[in-house]
Amino acid sequence: MSRTVRAGALAAVALLLAGGTAGCGDEEKKDGPPGKAAASASPGSKNGELPPPPAALTGQQPRWTDCDAPTAALGPSARPPGDRWQCATVKAPLDYADPDGDTLGIALIRARATDPDRRIGSLLLNFGGPGSSGVASLPGWGTVFDDLGARYDLVGFDPRGVAGSSGVVCRDSEAMEAAASRLDHTPDDAAEEKAFLADAQDFAAGCERRSGRVLPHVGTENAARDMDLLRAVLGDDRLHYLGFSYGTRLGAVYAHLFPRRVGRLVLDAVSDPSADDVRHARNQTTGFQRALENYLADCAARGASCPAGTDPAAGAEKIAGLLRRLDREPLPAAGGRKLTESLARTGIVRALYSEQLWPRLTAALREAFGSGTGSRLLALADAYNDRDENGRYSSQSHSQRAISCADSADRTSLGEARALLPEFRELSPVFGEFLAWDLAGWCAGWPVRADAGRPEVSAEGAGPILVIGTTGDPATPYEGAKIMADALGEGVGIHLTYKGEGHGAYSSGNACMKGLVDAYFLDGEVPRDGRTCT
C-alpha cells in the first residue's frame, strides 16, 4: 500500500458574482492586474516575493489539438475517446526563483463549455494523490461534471512532476512488482527492517538518477504558482478551482499565495493542514479504522452472508488475523501470483475509498476466508497500485513520494517508527502497524532538501471557499475539514459536512452536496457555514 495522501488532500474557494467578476479597483492591484497577469507571489508567501514569470510565459497561446481520452481513464461514466477533448502543453519556469531560466511543460486536457453563450470561465480540477494525472482522470469523470461543463471549460492538468509534466520516474515495473509482492512492509525482525530501509533508499536513489532535474522543484507551492500561470494563459481574471484530496492542499496554498485572484474554489475530502507526518499517519490510521468499522457494521447487518461475522469488533480482529497469517504464508492467486499481507491490506484500503466497492470487499473476504485464495483482494490491490493486467505499473506512486518529500522535512527513523507501534496498533489492528512503519520508509534517503514548514493556507482577502468533509472518509478524516476552514480565515472557509461514506462528497451521488457545489459554481450562491447533507 503506497502512502495515500501524505501531504494532505484538498483546499480553497472565493465567491464571484454570477458572470465571473468580483472585486474592483485598488483591491485588485494588490495581487497585480487581471487577465494575463504575471504569476507573482503575494506578500506573505513563505518563500517571500518572487520575480514574476516573463511575458513570454504569461502570454502564451496554448495550441489546443483534438485528442483521445487516455484509455486507462475510461470508466463507466466516461465519454468515448475523442469526444470533445482537446490537449495542449503550457511552459512554466522550472524554478520560479529564476523565471527566465529553464522551463518544463505542463500537460493540459479540456472540454469546452457546452453552453458558450453563458460561459463563466475555465474550471481547473485536481484529483488528488499527490501524483494523480488530471489529463488521465478528467475524461473518466465526464458525466459527473456535465452540469458544470455547460458553463465552464473543464480543464485537467498534470501537476509538475506528474505524468506528462516531466513526470518523476524512480524504478521500472519489474522492481515495482518485486517491492509490492516480496517486501515485508511491516518488518518483524532486524533482517526485514534492513531490507525495508534498503528498498526505500534504493527507490530514492532511483528518483535522483532518473528525475534529478525536476526533484527540487515539484513541491506544492511551485504547483500552485503553475496554477496561477495557467489562470493567466487561459485568460481568466480569477481562478475557479475544484480540488479533491491532495488537491485541497494545493488549492489552499494557491489561496494563500494569491488570495485576490481566487474565484470560486471548492475543496472536497480535506486533510488537516496543521498535521506533521506523525499526526497525519495517526489521522489516517483512525480514518481507515473508522471506515472499516462502518463497513463491518453494514456487513454484519446482512447476517450470515457476512464473511467477517455479525460482530463488527470481532470482524476487525478476524481480518487482522488474516493479515498475520498472510505475513507467514501468502495465499495463492490468479496467474500464479501470491496475495501477501501488504497486498491484502492494500486491497482492503482500495475498497474503503467508496461505499460502492463494499460488495467487492465482501466477495474478496469471502474468497480469502472460505476458499483460501486471494485473487479478488489482489485485483483490488492492483487497481490501487495502478498495475495493469500485463504487470505494468504507472509512475503515480513515484510522483506521490517526490511531491510529499519535497513538501515536508519530517524524517522518521526506524527506531522512532518502532516506538510508535504500540499506539498505532491500538488505534487499528489492521492498518496501524503499516502506517507507523511507512513513516520510516517514505522519505528515507531522499536526495533533495525539503521545506520544513507546514503548508501555509491562511487566505485573508479571498472570498468564501467551500471546504467539504465526509464523516466516513478513510483517507482524509472528517476532522481535517474544520481545521482547514478555520485556517483559511474567518469568512473565507465555509465548512460543509456530508454524513456519508467514502473519499469525497461531490462524486458520492449525494444530490444535496452536489446541488450546493453546483449552485456555488454556477450562480455564486454561498451555502451557510456549517451546513450538513445526509
Side-chain angles (χ1 to χ4, degrees):
M1 180 173 101
S2 62
R3 180 66 60 87
T4 49
V5 204
R6 184 178 178 94
L10 329 167
V13 199
L15 174 65
L16 300 182
L17 300 176
T21 60
C24 59
D26 294 338
E27 277 297 300
E28 185 151 18
K29 292 178 184 177
K30 293 181 182 179
D31 277 347
K36 299 295 184 181
S40 60
S42 299
S45 165
K46 62 186 175 184
N47 286 344
E49 193 78 36
L50 293 182
L57 296 182
T58 59
Q60 293 174 80
Q61 296 293 323
R63 296 180 59 186
W64 294 102
T65 59
D66 292 342
C67 59
D68 288 347
T71 55
L74 297 178
S77 66
R79 293 182 175 84
D83 183 6
R84 71 187 281 228
W85 300 110
Q86 296 179 314
C87 294
T89 299
V90 168
K91 291 182 179 180
L94 176 66
D95 182 355
Y96 275 94
D98 181 20
D100 295 305
D102 291 345
T103 62
L104 50 73
I106 305 298
L108 307 175
I109 191 169
R110 77 172 178 183
R112 300 298 299 272
T114 58
D115 187 359
D117 291 339
R118 302 175 65 221
R119 179 181 178 274
I120 296 171
S122 300
L123 178 61
L124 204 62
L125 298 118
N126 180 279
F127 299 94
S132 292
S133 164
V135 173
S137 297
L138 177 56
W141 288 60
T143 59
V144 175
F145 297 122
D146 271 358
D147 291 335
L148 298 178
R151 299 184 61 196
Y152 288 94
D153 294 344
L154 302 175
V155 181
F157 69 106
D158 292 351
R160 56 174 54 215
V162 176
S165 300
S166 299
V168 172
V169 176
C170 303
R171 56 175 39 159
D172 59 24
S173 290
E174 183 178 356
M176 292 291 291
E177 179 74 9
S181 61
R182 294 197 289 272
L183 187 71
D184 191 337
H185 295 268
T186 55
D188 304 305
D189 54 38
E192 289 187 349
E193 287 184 13
K194 182 179 179 179
F196 174 75
L197 186 60
D199 179 79
Q201 293 171 335
D202 178 76
F203 187 93
C207 297
E208 182 177 29
R209 185 168 59 252
R210 298 176 182 228
S211 300
R213 173 178 178 264
V214 298
L215 284 187
H217 308 291
V218 299
T220 296
E221 184 170 324
N222 283 325
R225 296 183 187 281
D226 290 340
M227 293 204 304
D228 199 58
L229 178 64
L230 294 178
R231 173 203 58 77
V233 169
L234 293 169
D236 292 321
D237 291 351
R238 299 287 189 273
L239 179 77
H240 306 303
Y241 175 81
L242 175 53
F244 301 93
S245 194
Y246 163 79
T248 62
R249 173 177 181 166
L250 180 57
V253 170
Y254 179 89
H256 170 69
L257 293 175
F258 308 103
R260 293 172 182 84
R261 294 184 193 156
V262 169
R264 299 172 185 174
L265 227 71
V266 174
L267 310 177
D268 185 5
V270 184
S271 70
D272 179 354
S274 67
D276 62 12
D277 278 11
V278 172
R279 182 171 158 190
H280 181 70
R282 188 180 289 117
N283 289 347
Q284 287 203 319
T285 302
T286 301
F288 278 109
Q289 182 64 25
R290 180 189 297 160
L292 178 64
E293 290 170 358
N294 292 345
Y295 157 74
L296 289 170
D298 179 82
C299 184
R302 301 175 189 276
S305 65
C306 179
T310 57
D311 179 350
E317 181 52 42
K318 185 175 182 180
I319 290 172
L322 171 66
L323 296 176
R324 289 192 293 269
R325 291 194 299 277
L326 291 172
D327 189 29
R328 300 189 299 270
E329 186 176 357
L331 290 179
R337 298 170 67 202
K338 298 286 188 179
L339 178 71
T340 65
E341 174 198 14
S342 295
L343 288 169
R345 185 183 291 105
T346 301
I348 294 167
V349 162
R350 176 67 187 93
L352 294 178
Y353 268 74
S354 171
E355 193 172 3
Q356 296 175 355
L357 292 175
W358 287 4
R360 289 185 61 183
L361 178 56
T362 296
L365 291 174
R366 185 177 295 119
E367 178 190 51
F369 287 129
S371 63
T373 56
S375 298
R376 292 178 181 271
L377 273 175
L378 186 59
L380 285 167
D382 286 347
Y384 185 91
N385 288 331
D386 280 345
R387 180 192 188 275
D388 69 17
E389 60 186 10
N390 297 313
R392 294 188 298 261
Y393 288 77
S394 81
S395 60
Q396 189 274 339
S397 63
H398 308 197
S399 302
Q400 183 184 50
R401 193 176 298 197
I403 296 167
S404 298
C405 296
D407 278 355
S408 173
D410 294 347
R411 301 293 185 259
T412 304
S413 69
L414 283 173
E416 290 168 334
R418 198 182 300 115
L420 290 169
L421 287 173
E423 176 196 354
F424 275 61
R425 286 173 179 145
E426 181 69 22
L427 288 172
S428 172
V430 175
F431 306 109
E433 188 172 354
F434 166 79
L435 285 166
W437 282 119
D438 189 48
L439 284 164
W442 191 249
C443 295
W446 198 251
V448 176
R449 180 182 177 184
D451 183 354
R454 307 273 77 73
E456 179 57 60
V457 299
S458 61
E460 181 181 356
I465 294 171
L466 307 194
V467 182
I468 306 170
T470 297
T471 55
D473 192 321
T476 52
Y478 170 72
E479 293 80 3
K482 184 62 166 65
I483 295 172
M484 175 68 82
D486 290 344
L488 287 168
E490 185 176 357
V492 179
I494 305 299
H495 181 227
L496 305 177
T497 296
Y498 169 49
K499 287 188 176 180
E501 301 299 327
H503 187 45
Y506 186 78
S507 62
S508 67
N510 180 264
C512 169
M513 189 57 71
K514 187 176 187 300
L516 292 178
V517 172
D518 287 353
Y520 170 78
F521 274 125
L522 298 174
D523 302 315
E525 296 181 7
V526 181
R528 172 180 54 82
D529 185 37
R531 177 75 183 271
T532 296
C533 291
T534 57

